[in-house]
Amino acid sequence: MEEEKTRMKKGDTIVLYPSPGMGHLISMVELGKRILELNPPFSITILLTQASFNTGSTAPYVRMVESSFPAITFIHLPPISLPIDSSNLPHHETLIFRLLRLNNPLIHQSLLSLSLSSSILAILYDSFCGPVLDIAAQLHIPCYCFSTSPASCLAAFLYFPTLHRLTPTSFKDLHDTPLHFPGLPPVPASAIPLPMLDRNDEAYDGVLQLSGDLSKPAGILINTFDALEPRALKAISEGSCVPDAPTPPVYCIGPLIAKEKGEGSRDCLHWLGSQPSHSIVFLCFGSLGLFSSAQLIEIAVGLERSRQRFLWVVRSPPSEDPTKRFLPTPEPDLEALLPDGFLERTKGQGLVVKSWAPQMAVLSHNSVGGFVTHCGWNSVLEALCAGVPMVAWPLYAEQRLNRVVLVEEMGLAMPMVGAEKGWVEAEEVEKRVRGLMESEEGKALRERTAQMRDKAMTALGEGGSSRDALTELTRVWKQS
């Protein structure tokens, strides 16, 4: 016992390795905070990858974490420059896969340097960061995968190598043919993540590799909780998703969400404070969610016609210059992008804000009663924990798969029809916004969401399933 105490005093740490992107980083940081809340005798070290393409601005967030949580340390890895030919890269994920493979020597060197001053008890890596498994094996460090997506998405990824072997054609050629993943409702082939649609796509090979690597870590942590996804979790734990290899132990440790204070956005929150209870529909589509100019006009027309109160976060459309496709967009010119007179006509009905709003602070506000979301998992969990029902408008990554599960399995959202084809009419926006806020279906969604919010809080509380799962892991790491 005395020997163990002496070893702990030398500075034991858990290393977290997120893939680039604000959503992935926030989930990792919240995981680090949750670990520290259990008062283990070790610190958290986060490896930050610097991308040469747009993954959302993270610097202000990192500075805030550094100033507020001294037990969390960031290691900023040297930047890697990628030659980007946007015309030959259909997916953002292609760049991510390339970057993370090239990152391995930097990760190796950083871990060696860190080990001189700290004992690395475990590496918790984002599922995109599978190449780190080779380094962890060389250094004899236990490695755990952290899935920032739902258990349903994890089940699909685990089963993907099997589906690949059973399906000789590209999934894009199957159109809306239903695919059957263990633990999920039937998923139209067109609804699986874009990088999985074409066998000739470089990103397809990256997803196939990622999926195969999921059977290798010492365990898989998921940002979900038992009561939210029982069928998918049962399929994973029973081994149905990986029929030809062992499935690592799974730990549901969510929901992990950031507790924003809404600082720097007083105008937005002040406006919400002047609105009636549960009267506002909030439209926000993530740090990378962009619409064409034409689609922005359809949204605006639909919102105005709905006569519902709204708070809408608008970003500039993607650049028409293919060389700037993966670069940050400029601040939007609202007068130029939205219909003539829209801002003036809707002054008493809604508020449009440029580029960003404190999402969790908004969703938690008493005046907000509905959320039109891109179905990013962080956003889904934030809405759920705030008890706010959703309209599902997926845009990229695994969001179309999330939409299927949210609508058909969980019953926590209604679909924005047309989103799966990349175009939504103003009439549909009007119909769904009004339906969410006024219809019996919207009322039922609100009630189910409130019930699931209570179950989420139970999972995180003393004796809750998520708290117990993470407590058990910290015991394992202490004893390693």
Side-chain angles (χ1 to χ4, degrees):
M1 179 65 71
E2 197 62 37
E3 180 181 339
E4 181 178 344
K5 287 182 180 178
T6 302
R7 182 175 62 84
M8 287 292 186
K9 289 179 182 178
K10 292 180 180 178
D12 290 356
T13 193
I14 302 294
V15 172
L16 308 185
Y17 179 26
S19 63
M22 193 63 172
H24 293 264
L25 176 59
I26 288 175
S27 293
M28 276 287 188
V29 169
E30 292 304 316
L31 174 57
K33 291 181 194 176
R34 191 69 57 80
I35 290 170
L36 293 174
E37 285 173 4
L38 299 175
N39 297 311
F42 45 74
S43 63
I44 301 295
T45 303
I46 300 179
L47 304 178
L48 277 185
T49 300
Q50 298 187 55
S52 57
F53 49 93
N54 183 28
T55 58
S57 175
T58 61
Y61 174 74
V62 170
R63 287 195 295 269
M64 182 274 293
V65 174
E66 287 177 321
S67 64
S68 305
F69 299 91
I72 298 178
T73 302
F74 292 89
I75 294 178
H76 297 260
L77 300 171
I80 293 176
S81 179
L82 286 178
I84 302 174
D85 180 0
S86 300
S87 61
N88 292 325
L89 291 177
H91 312 300
H92 197 263
E93 289 85 354
T94 304
L95 291 172
I96 298 291
F97 286 129
R98 289 183 184 180
L99 177 63
L100 294 175
R101 285 194 298 269
L102 293 172
N103 226 19
N104 251 18
L106 300 177
I107 296 293
H108 193 191
Q109 184 56 51
S110 294
L111 292 174
L112 287 175
S113 298
L114 181 61
S115 65
L116 297 177
S117 58
S118 302
S119 176
I120 303 173
L121 302 183
I123 299 171
L124 277 54
Y125 69 95
D126 185 295
S127 53
F128 276 91
C129 302
V132 77
L133 284 161
D134 293 336
I135 297 172
Q138 294 172 30
L139 301 178
H140 306 289
I141 302 172
C143 222
Y144 294 78
C145 178
F146 174 45
S147 174
T148 57
S149 299
S152 52
C153 190
L154 175 63
F157 279 131
L158 285 167
Y159 190 69
F160 186 55
T162 300
L163 194 64
H164 168 78
R165 290 194 296 271
L166 296 175
T167 311
T169 187
S170 289
F171 297 107
K172 67 181 178 64
D173 298 326
L174 299 179
H175 306 292
D176 289 331
T177 301
L179 303 177
H180 299 280
F181 296 93
L184 274 67
V187 177
S190 60
I192 64 175
L194 291 176
M196 299 164 68
L197 289 176
D198 187 352
R199 284 174 173 252
N200 298 315
D201 189 336
E202 178 184 335
Y204 184 99
D205 294 331
V207 175
L208 201 58
Q209 180 69 48
L210 176 159
S211 300
D213 286 342
L214 287 171
S215 63
K216 299 177 182 179
I220 302 176
L221 289 69
I222 316 178
N223 190 8
T224 191
F225 54 100
D226 291 351
L228 182 60
E229 302 184 84
R231 195 156 73 99
L233 290 168
K234 184 172 185 287
I236 294 169
S237 63
E238 290 180 346
S240 302
C241 301
V242 189
D244 53 355
T247 300
V250 168
Y251 304 88
C252 295
I253 45 83
L256 299 172
I257 58 172
K259 299 177 178 66
E260 294 175 323
K261 298 178 181 178
E263 296 173 353
S265 54
R266 293 176 184 168
D267 290 347
C268 168
L269 297 179
H270 177 75
W271 181 82
L272 285 174
S274 68
Q275 303 302 312
S277 176
H278 301 122
S279 66
I280 302 296
V281 60
F282 177 45
L283 298 91
C284 189
F285 301 92
S287 58
L288 300 178
L290 306 178
F291 291 109
S292 67
S293 298
Q295 183 64 85
L296 288 174
I297 290 173
E298 292 293 313
I299 297 172
V301 172
L303 285 176
E304 186 173 0
R305 288 177 181 171
S306 76
R307 300 188 181 279
Q308 300 299 312
R309 299 173 187 265
F310 65 86
L311 173 61
W312 180 20
V313 179
V314 172
R315 294 179 179 273
S316 291
S319 175
E320 296 180 3
D321 181 349
T323 65
K324 297 180 179 179
R325 182 177 162 206
F326 296 111
L327 299 178
T329 56
E331 184 173 280
D333 180 345
L334 298 181
E335 293 286 354
L337 288 172
L338 303 179
D340 289 344
F342 172 80
L343 295 173
E344 183 64 29
R345 290 193 305 274
T346 60
K347 189 176 293 184
Q349 177 187 352
L351 177 67
V352 180
V353 298
K354 296 180 180 182
S355 300
W356 181 85
Q359 184 165 286
M360 192 62 219
V362 170
L363 289 169
S364 301
H365 201 283
N366 180 62
S367 66
V368 174
F371 184 30
V372 181
T373 174
H374 65 312
C375 304
W377 191 237
N378 283 353
S379 295
V380 169
L381 291 177
E382 289 173 1
L384 189 155
C385 289
V388 177
M390 291 166 273
V391 172
W393 188 334
L395 297 176
Y396 55 91
E398 85 287 6
Q399 294 160 13
R400 292 184 298 177
L401 178 59
N402 290 350
R403 181 201 67 82
V404 172
V405 176
L406 275 171
V407 173
E408 299 180 21
E409 182 79 2
M410 300 177 184
L412 299 176
M414 57 177 64
M416 187 70 82
V417 176
E420 67 280 3
K421 304 297 184 184
W423 178 255
V424 175
E425 300 282 351
E427 290 78 9
E428 175 66 11
V429 174
E430 176 188 359
K431 173 185 174 182
R432 291 302 176 183
V433 167
R434 186 176 288 160
L436 182 66
M437 304 301 286
E438 293 183 346
S439 72
E440 287 301 312
E441 181 184 1
K443 181 180 177 182
L445 284 178
R446 189 166 290 104
E447 291 172 351
R448 284 195 293 271
T449 305
Q451 292 168 3
M452 196 57 71
R453 174 193 58 199
D454 294 342
K455 292 178 180 179
M457 297 306 102
T458 298
L460 295 175
E462 194 69 38
S465 58
S466 293
R467 185 180 179 88
D468 285 353
L470 195 53
T471 300
E472 176 57 30
L473 274 173
T474 60
R475 290 198 195 103
V476 171
W477 298 331
K478 289 177 189 176
Q479 296 165 4
S480 62

